Amino acid sequence: MNTDRMAAAPTPGTHANASTAMPAGRDDDVTTRRSAGRQADVFDLVVVGAGMAGHCTALAGAEAGARVAWLEKTPRYGGSTAMCGGAFAFAGTDVQKSKGVPDSPELLEEDLMKAGGWFNDRGLVHTYAERQYDAYRWLQGLGIPFDQVSLSGMQSVPRNHGTNPREALRLLHERALASGLVSFRSDAAAARLLTRGEGAERRVIGVELAGGERLVARGGVVLATGGFSRSRELVDRFAPHLRAARPMGGEGNTGDGLRMAWALGADLVDMGFTKGTFGAPVDAPAPGHEDRAPRILSAMYRGAIVVNRAGRRFVDESLSYKVIGDRCLEQPGAVAFQVFDQQVMDQSSPLPSVADYRAAHAAGLIREAPTLAGLAAALGIDADGLAETVRRYNDARDGRSSDEFGRTSLSTGYGTPTLVERAPFYGIACTTGLTSTYCGLRTDTGARVLDVFGAPIDGLYAVGEVAGGFHGASYMSGSSLGKGCVFGRIAAADAAERARRDPAA
Ligand SMILES: Cc1cc2nc3c(=O)[nH]c(=O)nc-3n(C[C@H](O)[C@H](O)[C@H](O)COP(=O)(O)OP(=O)(O)OC[C@H]3O[C@@H](n4cnc5c(N)ncnc54)[C@H](O)[C@@H]3O)c2cc1C
């Protein structure tokens, strides 16, 4: 296992460990103090996990002057973040203003609460709404561009600020290592939390790695381990209704952070609300397109309809892709098809990648035909059913009838759906993916993990997807990357301050 404190940042997908090794315990290595025998290395802060939340935490810790040990279980940093659509939900930004989008922190807060069915923790949501603009400016200041804004699930105005998530991670990683205060290790799984003291005196003082090595954190340990979409056992336990959903998300996302905190009596929240995401292409991308093809596509928010094998709609497509995901699993074969015309294809944009229809088309995932009958044949769905569905849908758009599923907007009351009429026609077979779990450790607005009685577990923080409470019953697009950044910065600042206040801890 190696540290690579001063090494050049590897991009997501490269091996961080092998080429960037620095022997631990060198005299000039200010980040570690390794001595003979059993004494552990001592840091101000230990960050567990290297997705968006871990990156923001590690860098913000270094900015606050903390010496940070940063662990990643897999050979590559990135987790789900490196695979994701790259959309951040921010409100009141210059990009929105330049496009005439009327948004505000208050509207964002209301949309988040509405998306979560008011089951969300209002304190967490309010903190996000208050701090998100600052996080946006911070990311921009680090060189991460946000020049596009689009509409997505449960947003009452276009609010998804698209960026390339891999490039964003690379920039954050480089900055963190360049600080000279961050020691990053890949292939380094945290296995247990270390504590000192009993009862009210107990505090988390570090982590033990899978090989038995111990790292001490004077200011605290931040769990940024992502969700549990890759743990069959935890999916069976907490989300058995999603057994048929396709596991997606980072390969290391097996719920380790949940278990480690659980062992200390941490409370869990929102577990019953875990939902899949509609829009995972059924087919594999053509060879050579694996990295460019979107992993999730949501053309319904730009005007596509969603039908089953019989060519019939079964849901209001303006609803959250989580809700559509549930309905998709009820369809024959758990498959549904997004069908659209050239007007929607013309709105394709590279970012966020969920709207990159051209990349999906080039990868062979989207089929094209000059007629609806031809498209039905290409997709293997009932041609008469599709023709009848499109006729009825277009009648509703023209005001000749009301929409049979109550669709009146592109998404959540915003935008006007167009007719499906301009050839050529396009379609893609999709299923529901378990991209993210969005439930987990209960935290307060300072990102401190709470135990089952509501008291903070001293010295333990949770940020990003491993933390529950923020989303409630469902999810507003773009809010996961955003909350990882906002709460990662909060946790880092608090832990750094604790280490400063109590240097001998
Ligand atoms: C296809 C897809 C599209 C998505 N699109 C969007 C989007 O556009 N906008 C949005 O907001 N969200 C999106 N999401 C969800 C979002 O990507 C995730 O919720 C978010 O990236 C989680 O960030 P994170 O840092 O909490 O976790 P991750 O990015 O998953 O990082 C967690 C890291 O912790 C590591 N880890 C786990 N256990 C340990 C351990 N014991 N020790 C050390 N390391 C450990 C993992 O290996 C992983 O690298 C999407 C998800 C997917 C899969």
Side-chain angles (χ1 to χ4, degrees):
M1 191 176 299
N2 302 305
T3 62
D4 60 356
R5 171 175 60 98
M6 300 297 289
T11 51
T14 61
H15 210 288
N17 233 349
S19 60
T20 55
M22 170 183 280
R26 281 167 41 155
D27 286 349
D28 60 350
D29 182 358
V30 297
T31 67
T32 55
R33 181 162 59 78
R34 183 195 296 268
S35 39
R38 295 160 55 95
Q39 191 171 337
D41 293 337
V42 179
F43 297 84
D44 294 325
L45 175 58
V46 172
V47 180
V48 187
M52 180 52 64
H55 274 76
C56 294
T57 309
L59 177 55
E63 286 183 350
R67 292 169 302 156
V68 180
W70 186 13
L71 306 174
E72 167 54 45
K73 170 183 176 178
T74 70
R76 305 173 171 101
Y77 71 77
S80 289
T81 308
M83 310 166 60
C84 84
F88 286 74
F90 293 128
T93 65
D94 44 352
V95 195
Q96 286 179 312
K97 284 180 186 140
S98 73
K99 297 187 189 307
V101 176
D103 202 3
S104 66
E106 294 75 26
L107 185 58
L108 169 64
E109 185 171 331
E110 280 320 296
D111 277 1
L112 282 164
M113 293 303 297
K114 189 173 169 196
W118 289 272
F119 283 98
N120 347 34
D121 180 327
R122 172 70 88 162
L124 295 177
V125 173
H126 184 69
T127 302
Y128 178 73
E130 250 181 3
R131 303 287 194 96
Q132 49 84 30
Y133 184 71
D134 191 45
Y136 167 75
R137 299 286 296 161
W138 183 68
L139 292 170
Q140 256 189 341
L142 294 168
I144 297 173
F146 293 106
D147 42 18
Q148 301 195 33
V149 63
S150 59
L151 181 71
S152 193
M154 297 311 285
Q155 300 178 350
S156 61
V157 293
R159 183 181 285 141
N160 262 358
H161 292 68
T163 198
N164 179 333
R166 288 168 165 247
E167 187 54 19
L169 286 172
R170 193 186 62 74
L171 281 167
L172 290 164
H173 205 86
E174 252 173 33
R175 285 296 188 106
L177 297 193
S179 71
L181 289 169
V182 175
S183 171
F184 175 70
R185 301 178 182 191
S186 55
D187 283 320
R192 270 185 347 110
L193 294 164
L194 301 173
T195 60
R196 192 175 60 194
E198 295 295 329
E201 299 300 309
R202 187 185 67 175
R203 68 187 283 181
V204 173
I205 56 157
V207 297
E208 183 173 294
L209 278 66
E213 186 186 351
R214 294 173 162 208
L215 302 178
V216 167
R218 297 181 313 161
V221 172
V222 183
L223 296 172
T225 48
F228 57 87
S229 59
R230 296 284 180 174
S231 166
R232 170 56 65 196
E233 189 214 332
L234 292 185
V235 170
D236 279 354
R237 190 180 312 182
F238 294 119
H241 56 289
L242 291 173
R243 289 211 83 190
R246 181 188 298 170
M248 299 173 79
E251 67 190 53
N253 293 17
T254 51
D256 299 8
L258 292 183
R259 289 180 195 275
M260 284 188 273
W262 209 348
L264 302 188
D267 201 4
L268 301 176
V269 62
D270 291 346
M271 306 310 283
F273 292 133
T274 307
K275 288 191 167 50
T277 294
F278 177 66
V282 167
D283 299 327
H289 289 263
E290 291 85 352
D291 278 350
R292 271 166 290 157
R295 290 183 165 85
I296 292 286
L297 224 77
S298 50
M300 58 274 183
Y301 300 132
R302 298 196 179 179
I305 57 171
V306 178
V307 301
N308 59 19
R309 277 209 186 284
R312 303 290 180 190
R313 291 173 66 214
F314 54 87
V315 69
D316 171 358
E317 295 88 345
S318 74
L319 295 178
S320 161
Y321 46 67
K322 299 286 179 188
V323 176
I324 304 174
D326 283 349
R327 302 281 184 283
C328 172
L329 290 178
E330 295 160 4
Q331 304 308 307
V335 174
F337 304 81
Q338 298 181 52
V339 169
F340 52 96
D341 70 357
Q342 187 62 37
Q343 297 177 84
V344 175
M345 181 53 99
D346 287 345
Q347 298 173 56
S348 172
S349 62
L351 292 171
S353 65
V354 292
D356 198 348
Y357 320 131
R358 292 198 197 288
H361 189 253
L365 300 173
I366 289 181
R367 306 292 162 85
E368 175 185 341
T371 62
L372 281 171
L375 184 68
L379 293 172
I381 61 184
D382 186 271
D384 292 341
L386 182 63
E388 175 62 11
T389 294
V390 171
R391 190 189 60 72
R392 293 227 288 260
Y393 182 78
N394 285 346
D395 276 356
R397 306 284 71 83
D398 274 340
R400 285 194 290 272
S401 61
S402 55
D403 186 278
E404 47 189 332
F405 293 93
R407 183 176 200 178
T408 55
S409 67
L410 290 176
S411 170
T412 325
Y414 186 90
T416 308
T418 46
L419 298 170
V420 181
E421 61 170 358
R422 223 179 94 200
F425 298 96
Y426 301 90
I428 177 169
C430 294
T431 187
T432 298
L434 183 53
T435 59
S436 326
T437 41
Y438 298 135
C439 54
L441 303 174
R442 190 187 289 278
T443 60
D444 65 12
T445 55
R448 299 181 305 170
V449 177
L450 303 178
D451 71 15
V452 290
F453 300 112
I457 298 177
D458 197 19
L460 186 62
Y461 304 82
V463 299
E465 202 182 307
V466 71
F470 178 80
H471 301 292
S474 196
Y475 173 71
M476 191 194 81
S477 182
S479 56
S480 188
L481 292 176
K483 80 167 184 176
C485 181
V486 166
F487 289 100
R489 295 178 75 210
I490 290 174
D494 197 54
E497 176 55 27
R498 277 166 58 98
R500 237 191 326 270
R501 265 200 323 262
D502 193 6

